[in-house]
Each structure stands twice: as C-alpha cells, then as structure tokens.
C-alpha cells in the first residue's frame, strides 16, 4: 500500500498488564497478553504514524518501526503515558492496568511465620491513567493547546454496551472499544476479537456506533485506527 494516511501523526499506545510489587520477588498482575495493543502499534506504524508503545511485561516482539518503552507498575505506566500524551495526536489506552496495588512494598522478601494460616494485604487504588489523560485533554482543548484524541477499551462479560457508554462518558473519552471477553476464543490471550466502537458526541442525530464482527486483532486494529483518523 502506497498511501500512508497516518503520516506525520504521533500515536501513543499503552499495552499489556501492569505488575504491582508486594516485595522484591512478588507482584500482583493479570493475564493480559498485550496482543491488541501490539497489533494497534504495528498497524499505526504501517499507516505511517510515529508510534510510542508503553508496554507492561509481555512475551511479544516489538513491532517494526515502533519505539517501545517498558514499564512494570501502574504508577510507572502513568508517568510514561502522561509524558507522551501531550505530544501525541492519538492516545490509545489498551493496557490492563491493575485497579489496586499493595499499599506498602516490603524492602525484603516477606517471610511466612510457622503456624501462620493467613495473611492480609492492604491494597490501595491505582490512578486511572486514561481518565487523567482525558481530563488533561479537555483542559488543553479549552485552552486551544495541542491534545490527543483519546481512545479507551472496555472489556466486559455482560451488559457490554451499557458499561462501555458509561465509561465513555465518565472517563471523558473520545472513543471506546467495547468487547465481550466472555466469548470463548475471543479477547484475552486470543489472536481474535469482536468489538463495538462507540464515539462522541452521543446525540441521536449522528451515527456513533460501529459493530465489528469477530476477526483477527490486526484487522480490528485497522478498523479502530480508520475510525480514529476519521474523527481526528
Ligand atoms: O474501568 P476499566 O478498567 O474497565 O477501563 C478500561 C480502560 O481504562 C482501558 O482503556 C484501560 O487501559 C484504561 N485504564 C487506565 N488506568 C486504570 C484502569 C483502566 O488507563 N487504572
């Protein structure tokens, strides 16, 4: 393909899980594979964009032409994402950020005591990275400053569109990619996905939803970027 519709654009993408440390050898995390975020990064680069991929720990190769920034915790991911966002035209939050982290991180490996039958770990809420970037985006737009189009994901097991519409509004996103992760063979860890794209403004007079049938994540990535470029 000769035309590069994203040439000159800077795209920042978060991908993969975060790891929330408990002590020097242990962490809390999730099963995110990073495949969707990496597919988006590869497609955006193929469309000519300059791509920064802020990645949690995953077992994937860096796509050709993509600048990868490796992070572990949600706080590290937030710092990298906020530094990149205001310089970007498009921000896509694809990472499965841990909602909570251990309130304290022990300096040394925690030792079990003999006879100890249970232990308690206090968790505290992590910042919502994309909501913070979207709020900053609203402020920058109001001040006439450069700000990215902000796109989030909503992985749900029920009431997918209802929760996604709520997230789109509550987090002040420009677009959300809603997908049902309860469908066997799709979503988490899989190479395929089905989704509905929902975007602002949510009024009755304009079309603002697009269903995308089950397809490889690379194809879904292309559809998301095509819609994003149309909204940009
Ligand atoms: O609220 P929920 O976690 O379902 O929202 C998912 C969307 O929000 C994704 O785009 C995800 O990357 C983003 N998110 C975030 N920081 C968090 C939690 C979610 O950026 N702490």
């Amino acid at each position: 393909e000769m035309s590069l519709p994203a040439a000159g654009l800077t795209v920042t993408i978060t991908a993969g899980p975060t790891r929330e440390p408990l002590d020097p050898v242990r962490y809390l995390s999730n099963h995110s594979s990073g495949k969707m975020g990496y597919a988006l990064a590869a497609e955006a680069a193929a469309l000519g964009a300059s791509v920064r991929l802020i990645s949690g720990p995953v077992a994937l190769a860096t796509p050709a032409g993509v600048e990868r920034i490796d992070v572990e915790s949600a706080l590290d991911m937030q710092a990298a994402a906020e530094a990149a966002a205001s310089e970007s035209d498009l921000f896509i939050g694809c990472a499965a950020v841990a909602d909570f982290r251990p309130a304290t991180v022990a300096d040394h490996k925690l030792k079990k005591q003999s006879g100890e039958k249970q232990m308690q770990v206090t968790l505290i809420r992590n910042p919502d990275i994309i909501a913070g970037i979207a709020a900053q985006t609203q402020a920058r737009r109001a001040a006439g400053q450069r700000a990215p189009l902000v796109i989030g994901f909503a992985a749900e097991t029920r009431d997918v569109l209802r929760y996604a519409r709520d997230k789109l509004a509550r987090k002040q996103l420009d677009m959300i990619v809603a997908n049902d992760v309860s469908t066997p063979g799709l979503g988490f860890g899989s190479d395929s996905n089905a989704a509905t794209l929902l975007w602002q403004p949510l009024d009755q007079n304009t079309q603002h939803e697009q269903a995308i049938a089950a397809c490889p994540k690379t194809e879904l990535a292309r559809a998301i970027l095509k819609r994003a470029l149309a909204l940009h």
Side-chain angles (χ1 to χ4, degrees), residues 123-142:
L123 303 178
I124 55 172
R125 193 71 178 260
N126 267 329
D128 191 316
I129 298 170
I130 203 167
I133 284 168
Q136 202 189 32
T137 289
Q138 301 295 337
R140 290 181 68 87
R141 280 182 193 155

Side-chain angles (χ1 to χ4, degrees), residues 14 74 77 91-99 125-131 151-156 167 170-171 173 176:
T14 67
M77 183 174 279
F91 178 87
I92 309 179
C94 202
V97 183
D99 290 323
R125 193 71 178 260
N126 267 329
D128 191 316
I129 298 170
I130 203 167
I151 302 177
F153 276 71
E156 306 291 348
K167 260 170 219 179
R170 184 165 38 82
K171 300 192 187 208
L173 308 179
I176 197 156

Side-chain angles (χ1 to χ4, degrees), residues 2 15 28 38 40 54 58 62 70 91-92 104 110 117 133-134 139 151 153 167 183 187 192 194 204 214 217 229:
M2 289 301 292
L28 297 178
Y38 275 59
L40 281 161
I54 300 170
V58 297
T62 308
D70 285 305
F91 178 87
I92 309 179
T104 57
L110 295 166
K117 286 275 173 26
I133 284 168
I151 302 177
F153 276 71
K167 260 170 219 179
T183 314
S192 297
Q204 289 92 335
K217 284 180 177 174
L229 292 176

